[in-house]
């Protein structure tokens, strides 16, 4: 407000009247009271004067040629620069309908001619004080909004930290409890397979040396179907071996995903983090009653190691892949659901990771709020509204990167991450 720029004046007042005598009278009266006064003889001059220096209050006559006071006020209120400037109408019109119209077009007050100087001064002071109060209230609202945004960001960060600690503890517990028995099973399967093969060889030798078994053995062989059992046993041992390998891979993927022992920045292979997240989500990619299996198309470029916080970046991959699967689960008409993952090294030494689905897409009105804390497009109970907000914090604030979303209804959605190859804290 101009009061801050004119400490020697009580305020900047623009007087608009097509009668020069009225202008001189009002100007002299207000100047004597310590106001800075500017004068305009018509509406066009008034609008121009407002854009040169924004007044604190406008005294506006109604009856003027070409553009009356109502029209001037309407134009002032339609312009966001002058919309908040209080307008006090001064007119000889004393009809109630005239006053109603003045307030309808945005007037703040109405003075009837002939006016008293003390009344004009008092009404101007009231409007200036009210405007000052409004500005202070706006400042407080801005501070409150900033405080709320900071609080939400702190809450999101706290939730993220708690999740990461809980995930690290969970993975450490799973790794400890599963690794020992699975190592025992995996390590002994080859011996068990060898022993079974030895027993099969002994039975085969007996059959060759004693081709005519007695009645009791012949009955057992007939009930047992030895040939089937022999073949199926070898198949079962192969399946158990593959199952043990699968469990070992999952435990390693969990460890790689959470990186609970790597809370500091390290140089890692980004593709390993993506593949670990995909491995953990295999159960969600399979065919369901509502859609076919989701195809994963991986287009990886040859990337150097990237300095990052592996655990937190892996969280981003998990959030984005989970969201893509959720989108495809909600697209029952999609006959060939797929997720494309593309990585690229740019010329400005950044790494781009694009994760795109061919689901229903996201409306433009929602895209601008995707990264806001606690905002979600999912049904109630299906999403916390924290995944993308946490991802934004990890990528933008912690890795000094960028994360954006390109989408339109019916065209799927693509999330693009771009992070520097080297972080300042890690550069040697």
């Amino acid at each position: 407000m101009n009061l801050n720029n004119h400490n020697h004046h009580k305020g900047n007042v623009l007087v608009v009247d097509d009668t020069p005598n009225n202008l001189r009278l009002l100007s002299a009266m207000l100047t004597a009271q310590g106001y800075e006064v500017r004068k305009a003889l018509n509406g066009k001059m008034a609008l121009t004067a407002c854009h040169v220096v924004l007044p604190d209050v406008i005294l506006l006559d109604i009856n003027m040629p070409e553009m009356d006071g109502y029209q001037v006020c309407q134009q002032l209120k339609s312009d966001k620069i002058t919309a908040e400037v209080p307008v006090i109408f001064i007119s000889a019109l004393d009809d109630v309908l005239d006053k109603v119209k003045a307030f309808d077009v945005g007037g703040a007050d109405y003075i009837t001619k002939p006016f008293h100087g003390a009344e004009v001064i008092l009404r101007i002071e009231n409007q200036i004080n009210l405007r000052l109060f409004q500005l202070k209230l706006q400042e407080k609202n801005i501070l409150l909004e900033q405080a709320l945004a900071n609080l939400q960001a702190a809450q999101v960060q706290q939730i993220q930290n708690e999740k990461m600690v809980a995930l690290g503890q969970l993975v450490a517990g799973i790794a400890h409890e599963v690794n020992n028995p699975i190592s025992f099973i995996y390590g002994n399967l080859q011996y068990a397979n060898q022993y079974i093969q030895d027993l099969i060889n002994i039975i085969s030798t007996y059959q060759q040396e004693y081709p005519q078994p007695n009645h009791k053995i012949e009955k057992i062989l007939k009930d047992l179907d030895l040939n089937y059992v022999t073949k199926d046993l070898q198949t079962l041992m192969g399946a158990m071996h593959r199952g043990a390998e699968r469990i070992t891979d999952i435990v390693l993927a969990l460890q790689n995903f959470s990186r609970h022992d790597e809370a500091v920045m390290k140089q890692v292979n980004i593709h390993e983090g993506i593949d670990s997240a995909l491995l953990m989500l295999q159960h969600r990619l399979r065919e369901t009653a509502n859609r076919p299996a989701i195809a994963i198309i991986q287009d990886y470029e040859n990337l150097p190691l990237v300095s990052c916080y592996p655990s937190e970046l892996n969280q981003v991959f998990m959030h984005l892949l989970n969201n893509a699967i959720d989108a495809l689960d909600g697209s029952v008409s999609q006959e060939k659901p797929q997720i494309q993952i593309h990585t690229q090294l740019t010329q400005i030494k950044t790494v781009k990771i694009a994760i795109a689905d061919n689901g229903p897409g996201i409306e433009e009105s929602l895209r601008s709020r995707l990264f806001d804390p606690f905002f979600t497009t999912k049904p109630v109970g299906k999403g916390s509204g924290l995944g993308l907000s946490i991802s934004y914090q990890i990528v933008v604030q912690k890795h000094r990167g960028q994360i954006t979303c390109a989408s339109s209804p019916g065209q799927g959605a693509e999330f693009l991450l771009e992070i520097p190859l080297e972080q300042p804290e890690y550069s040697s």
Side-chain angles (χ1 to χ4, degrees):
M1 194 169 180
N2 289 337
L3 288 177
N4 295 330
N5 300 326
H6 302 278
N7 294 326
H8 57 289
H9 290 293
K10 294 170 66 174
N12 186 313
V13 181
L14 176 64
V15 182
V16 186
D17 198 316
D18 63 328
T19 305
N21 288 336
N22 289 340
L23 283 178
R24 282 192 293 270
L25 175 62
L26 287 168
S27 177
M29 180 180 64
L30 295 173
T31 302
Q33 292 294 321
Y35 291 96
E36 180 182 5
V37 181
R38 292 183 298 145
K39 297 172 281 187
L41 284 166
N42 56 56
K44 289 183 179 180
M45 290 176 62
L47 295 174
T48 302
C50 285
H51 283 87
V52 173
V53 176
L54 193 67
D56 296 317
V57 177
I58 300 173
L59 292 180
L60 181 59
D61 187 27
I62 293 178
N63 289 325
M64 294 186 296
E66 295 185 17
M67 184 185 295
D68 64 26
Y70 299 132
Q71 294 171 314
V72 175
C73 188
Q74 285 176 323
Q75 289 204 27
L76 289 171
K77 297 304 174 183
S78 64
D79 187 336
K80 63 181 181 180
I81 296 175
T82 57
E84 300 300 324
V85 178
V87 175
I88 300 176
F89 283 102
I90 295 183
S91 175
L93 301 174
D94 195 24
D95 191 274
V96 173
L97 293 178
D98 294 316
K99 293 181 179 180
V100 170
K101 185 175 181 180
F103 288 113
D104 281 343
V105 298
D109 205 346
Y110 193 101
I111 301 174
T112 304
K113 296 178 182 178
F115 50 79
H116 296 282
E119 179 187 7
V120 175
I121 298 299
L122 183 60
R123 290 179 183 268
I124 290 175
E125 288 179 351
N126 286 341
Q127 291 302 322
I128 289 178
N129 290 335
L130 181 60
R131 179 66 182 140
L132 279 173
F133 178 77
Q134 290 174 337
L135 289 174
K136 289 179 180 178
L137 191 60
Q138 288 176 1
E139 290 176 0
K140 289 183 179 179
N141 286 338
I142 291 172
L143 291 175
L144 286 173
E145 288 175 1
Q146 291 175 344
L148 179 60
N150 293 336
L151 178 60
Q152 287 182 331
Q155 286 177 331
V156 169
Q157 188 60 49
Q158 183 180 5
I159 292 170
Q160 167 68 0
N161 292 340
E162 291 174 355
K163 284 178 64 177
M164 293 305 298
V165 170
L167 181 62
Q169 293 172 344
L170 176 64
V171 169
I174 291 175
H176 178 74
E177 294 297 330
V178 175
N179 267 340
N180 287 335
I182 200 60
S183 296
F184 175 80
I185 294 170
Y186 187 75
N188 285 294
L189 272 176
Q190 63 183 55
Y191 298 112
N193 192 51
Q194 183 62 50
Y195 297 155
I196 290 170
Q197 191 61 49
D198 291 342
L199 292 173
I200 290 174
N201 290 337
I202 291 173
I203 294 172
S204 177
T205 302
Y206 266 101
Q207 286 178 323
Q208 293 173 7
E209 295 296 327
Y210 301 98
Q212 296 297 326
N214 60 34
H215 178 72
K216 187 176 181 180
I217 294 176
E218 188 174 357
K219 185 177 183 307
I220 292 173
L221 291 174
K222 184 177 179 181
D223 294 339
L224 186 62
D225 191 352
L226 184 61
N227 288 334
Y228 171 78
V229 170
T230 301
K231 292 179 180 179
D232 194 48
L233 184 57
Q234 292 173 321
T235 302
L236 286 174
M237 292 302 294
M240 285 190 287
H241 191 275
R242 290 191 298 275
E245 284 185 333
R246 170 71 174 166
I247 295 173
T248 302
D249 289 342
I250 290 173
V251 172
L252 289 174
L254 279 168
Q255 290 174 325
N256 181 60
F257 172 78
S258 70
R259 301 274 186 156
H260 62 280
D261 58 340
E262 296 183 6
V264 297
M265 186 169 288
K266 292 196 174 184
Q267 286 193 315
V268 298
N269 184 339
I270 289 292
H271 296 152
E272 289 182 357
I274 299 173
D275 291 342
S276 296
L278 285 171
L279 185 59
M280 294 175 65
L281 291 170
Q282 282 296 316
H283 65 287
R284 295 204 64 199
L285 300 173
R286 299 189 186 103
E287 181 180 358
T288 69
N290 297 323
R291 58 154 177 80
I294 298 174
I296 301 295
I297 301 173
Q298 293 162 281
D299 178 21
Y300 292 168
E301 281 195 5
N302 186 22
L303 300 179
L305 297 179
V306 178
S307 61
C308 64
Y309 296 94
S311 171
E312 299 193 20
L313 206 55
N314 289 341
Q315 280 282 332
V316 176
F317 299 147
M318 179 66 84
H319 285 314
L320 297 182
L321 289 168
N322 256 322
N323 283 348
I325 295 171
D326 287 341
L328 293 170
D329 283 344
S331 180
V332 294
S333 61
Q334 180 55 258
E335 295 181 357
K336 296 181 179 179
Q338 67 179 29
I339 297 173
Q340 294 184 335
I341 306 171
H342 173 70
T343 62
Q344 175 187 359
L345 179 65
T346 70
Q347 294 181 346
I348 58 173
K349 293 186 178 180
T350 63
V351 172
K352 286 185 176 180
I353 305 111
I355 299 177
D357 64 73
N358 60 344
I362 305 170
E363 295 180 7
E364 184 177 358
S365 60
L366 301 178
R367 285 205 311 274
S368 62
R369 300 183 59 196
L370 283 179
F371 301 105
D372 291 350
F374 309 108
F375 174 77
T376 179
T377 60
K378 298 175 184 177
V380 176
K382 296 293 185 181
S384 65
L386 291 174
L388 289 178
S389 178
I390 289 171
S391 298
Y392 183 89
Q393 283 193 351
I394 292 172
V395 174
V396 177
Q397 297 178 9
K398 208 152 193 189
H399 289 87
R400 294 175 172 81
Q402 296 180 354
I403 179 170
T404 57
C405 175
S407 179
S408 56
Q411 301 298 317
E414 179 185 67
F415 284 87
L416 180 64
L417 285 68
E418 184 171 0
I419 59 174
L421 198 60
E422 291 284 345
Q423 296 290 327
E425 294 89 341
Y426 193 82
S427 299
S428 56

